[in-house]
Amino acid sequence: MKKLINDPSSVVREMLEGVVALSPASMLLADENVVIRSDLPEPARRKVAVLSGGGSGHEPAHAGYVGSGMLTAAVAGDIFTSPSTDAVLAAIRAASGPAGALLIVKNYTGDRLNFGLAAELARAEGIPVEIVVVADDVALRETVSADRRRGIAGTVLVHKLAGAAAEKGLALDEVARIARSAAERLSSMGISLGPCTLPAAGKPGFSLGEREIEVGLGIHGEQGVRRMPIAPVDQLVSLVLETIEADGGLGSGDRVALLVNGLGSTPPMELSVVARSALAALESRGVTVERAWAGTLLSALDMPGFSLSILPVDAGALELIDAPTSAGAWPGGGAVNRNRVLPSSRPAENPAESVTVTASGQQLQKTAQAVAKALIDAEAHLTELDGITGDGDLGASMKRGAEAVLALPDAAFADVAGGLMAMGDAVRRAIAGSSGPFYATALMRASRHLAGIAAPTSADMAQAFSAAVEAVSDLGGARPGDRTMIDALRPAADAFIASLGEGQASREAWQKAVAAGIAGADATKAMRPRLGRASYLGERALGHPDGGAVAVTVWLKAIGSA
């Protein structure tokens, strides 16, 4: 286990101390793990207090939602463990006045018991208290009765509605009615790609096969209602929405708020892909998404995965959702962009005119296709190499460029110069990063070198190759010995020119070029990198060849066998 903690037994308190240190609007009770607003007036002037909480490990819930317009206080138990009755009672006493308190409780036995008993004790002291239980997990629709379902990420939306209602100065019964109505209409479901690790346990809570996922799980590291093979995001989103729909929580004509929640270690990139899919799927069902958010709002420690929460809304609910809050973890906004794509500004291409394709152009196309297929086949190997000393994107980049070349029409290869220029344009559009500019520049420089030559000789091609290599050096500044693609390119180009100059046939000369390129790439194993991302590793890169140089050898060999 690798965790940025001091001691598992003190992690909750130290976490809360860190949260409060960065939130001037909140304070931490001295003798309980309770975070409370620091701007509360004297008890007699307080509005309805809205409290929630539960086990820790769900950050930024619940302390992150303490602030005006949301939670008045949050009670934190140990990781995935309900807080004690005394902690909840302390929070009620510290946060409430004559207007009373609303407790928002996720539907777990420990939470219900401890919050419920604390409420009874507070009532005995004369503090009005209402409880709203959130049980939004529709994955359990065929497993348990509706009142026994778990409370999961949709609870955050109930926090927002209740907090905004209380901030308006509404009475306790009305704040409770709004929260209870939202909880009854709320539907959520989660999917996990793997387990989480509790600091006290030191190991994952369960294990999954490499291609397995858990469907319909809670937020405490437990397994789901079933296990299935990993599938594309669109299919997983459809599975969740179909379950919500079957439970009666979704229908054509509905207006909804959508919460795309990360379970702890899901990167923003993937959550955005999920959000895109969910919005498209809901809109295709005739559902209007009035507000939507994507982020980690209620987690399960470091679990990879997501959940979707759907809340039907009307004008009144939207007013409460849009009301301001100082809670630091509430993402705000939520407006859905209805105009998402700007039409292309690229000039329309004229219909292709009839062109005469030269024999040399046809040969270039055949060679280019062989190179492209070889690079596609080498994707996994290049990715592995680049992952050792780079950022791991080389294989995918080469594949995208290869596919772009394969998509070129026959007319693009009317002659060699035109074909090289078309390939350069295709690669430039298909590959970002560094590979795209390098290869596009090389191809364009070679094209200009051969312009006007209808049937280039081997010597012409050798000089064009050398010019292309020089273009790469000019663009990136690399020279032989820097541990880059140049260490394979320069020896190959020089060997080709030299062998032709010695009178060798073009095929034999090219084989010498291939051998020189392979030797150059192999030599990079012993080179300390001076350019590129590998240079950040220093001597740690030694013993492994440069991925870009190895990619060069892939297409050098493919040309030789074309």
Side-chain angles (χ1 to χ4, degrees):
M1 180 184 72
K2 294 180 180 178
K3 297 282 186 184
L4 296 175
I5 62 174
N6 293 309
D7 185 334
S9 65
S10 61
V11 67
V12 172
R13 187 68 182 186
E14 291 180 356
M15 175 267 293
L16 294 177
E17 289 172 352
V19 169
V20 170
L22 300 176
S23 175
S26 64
M27 300 177 69
L28 185 60
L29 294 192
D31 52 357
E32 296 288 355
N33 286 336
V34 174
V35 176
I36 187 170
R37 284 174 55 181
S38 60
D39 60 348
L40 292 177
E42 61 185 46
R45 297 174 47 235
R46 291 178 186 175
K47 300 171 183 177
V48 171
V50 179
L51 291 79
S52 190
S56 296
H58 304 304
E59 291 70 38
H62 300 81
Y65 300 118
V66 172
S68 62
M70 214 158 173
L71 296 183
T72 313
V75 194
D78 289 334
I79 293 176
F80 294 167
T81 303
S82 170
S84 68
T85 298
D86 286 354
V88 178
L89 181 59
I92 297 172
R93 289 170 175 164
S96 306
L102 172 68
L103 308 185
I104 299 173
V105 182
K106 294 184 297 301
N107 196 24
Y108 297 95
T109 301
D111 288 347
R112 292 191 68 161
L113 291 176
N114 285 290
F115 277 84
L117 178 54
E120 283 301 314
L121 293 170
R123 291 176 188 131
E125 296 178 6
I127 303 173
V129 179
E130 290 277 355
I131 296 179
V132 170
V133 176
V134 180
D136 55 328
D137 187 3
V138 301
L140 300 177
R141 59 184 298 269
E142 295 179 347
T143 307
V144 299
S145 59
D147 63 331
R148 294 181 58 200
R149 297 178 182 180
R150 296 171 292 211
I152 54 176
T155 308
V156 176
L157 295 174
V158 181
H159 292 165
K160 183 64 181 69
L161 290 166
E167 193 66 27
K168 288 178 65 176
L170 301 182
L172 176 59
D173 59 349
E174 181 62 11
V175 176
R177 184 197 65 79
I178 290 170
R180 195 167 288 120
S181 174
E184 291 170 352
R185 291 176 288 127
L186 183 64
S187 301
S188 300
M189 181 172 165
I191 289 179
S192 171
L193 310 185
C196 62
T197 300
L198 277 68
K203 60 182 180 180
F206 59 87
S207 60
L208 282 174
E210 185 176 346
R211 302 291 299 170
E212 288 183 318
I213 61 174
E214 290 284 347
V215 176
L217 70 164
I219 52 174
H220 296 116
E222 70 270 57
Q223 299 180 51
V225 297
R226 67 185 177 94
R227 192 167 287 189
M228 64 173 277
I230 184 70
V233 164
D234 288 351
Q235 293 182 28
L236 299 180
V237 167
S238 292
L239 171 60
V240 172
L241 294 181
E242 286 166 6
T243 305
I244 294 174
E245 198 170 31
D247 193 55
L250 190 63
S252 178
D254 283 353
R255 303 168 65 198
V256 305
L258 166 68
L259 181 62
V260 179
N261 178 60
L263 298 181
S265 68
T266 310
M269 173 188 288
E270 295 176 29
L271 291 178
S272 293
V273 174
V274 175
R276 162 210 167 270
S277 180
L279 285 166
L282 288 167
E283 290 167 352
S284 71
R285 286 169 161 83
V287 175
T288 300
V289 181
E290 298 285 1
R291 301 290 185 273
W293 306 266
T296 300
L297 282 85
L298 195 152
S299 64
L301 289 174
D302 56 349
M303 181 174 283
F306 74 95
S307 64
L308 298 182
S309 297
I310 301 289
L311 176 66
V313 295
D314 55 18
L318 289 175
E319 180 183 349
L320 296 174
I321 287 173
D322 293 339
T325 176
S326 64
W330 176 250
V336 177
N337 186 7
R338 310 292 181 194
N339 185 22
R340 300 170 194 164
V341 179
L342 181 68
S344 174
S345 60
R346 185 179 298 172
E349 295 183 3
N350 295 324
E353 299 179 3
S354 177
V355 296
T356 300
V357 178
T358 64
S360 56
Q362 288 180 326
Q363 181 58 44
L364 174 64
Q365 183 181 26
K366 177 184 175 184
T367 302
Q369 290 173 344
V371 165
K373 291 172 183 176
L375 288 171
I376 291 172
D377 290 342
E379 179 190 6
H381 179 54
L382 296 177
T383 297
E384 180 182 6
L385 281 178
D386 195 42
I388 296 172
T389 59
D391 54 8
D393 69 342
L394 179 62
S397 294
M398 292 293 95
K399 181 182 178 183
R400 284 196 301 273
E403 289 172 341
V405 169
L406 290 174
L408 289 171
D410 294 346
F413 295 90
D415 55 39
V416 172
L420 291 171
M421 185 61 73
M423 290 166 63
D425 288 340
V427 167
R428 170 174 56 85
R429 296 188 179 113
I431 310 177
S434 57
S435 299
F438 281 140
Y439 278 102
T441 298
L443 289 163
M444 289 189 288
R445 182 76 63 88
S447 172
R448 290 199 302 274
H449 195 87
L450 297 172
I453 304 176
T457 65
S458 295
D460 293 329
M461 297 298 291
Q463 292 300 323
F465 183 17
S466 184
V469 174
E470 194 61 33
V472 173
S473 283
D474 291 344
L475 182 62
R479 292 292 182 265
D482 286 343
R483 189 192 161 94
T484 69
M485 61 194 298
I486 291 296
D487 289 298
L489 284 171
R490 188 73 268 168
D494 291 347
F496 191 36
I497 291 174
S499 296
L500 289 174
E502 293 170 358
Q504 295 183 21
S506 58
R507 182 165 292 276
E508 293 174 356
W510 186 255
Q511 291 306 317
K512 293 288 183 62
V514 173
I518 292 173
D522 190 62
T524 62
K525 293 178 182 178
M527 295 178 187
R528 194 178 190 281
R530 290 198 285 266
L531 291 173
R533 282 191 174 90
S535 63
Y536 309 150
L537 298 178
E539 293 186 357
R540 293 180 65 187
L542 297 177
H544 305 282
D546 177 72
V550 173
V552 169
T553 68
V554 171
W555 57 259
L556 287 175
K557 288 185 284 188
I559 290 174
S561 57

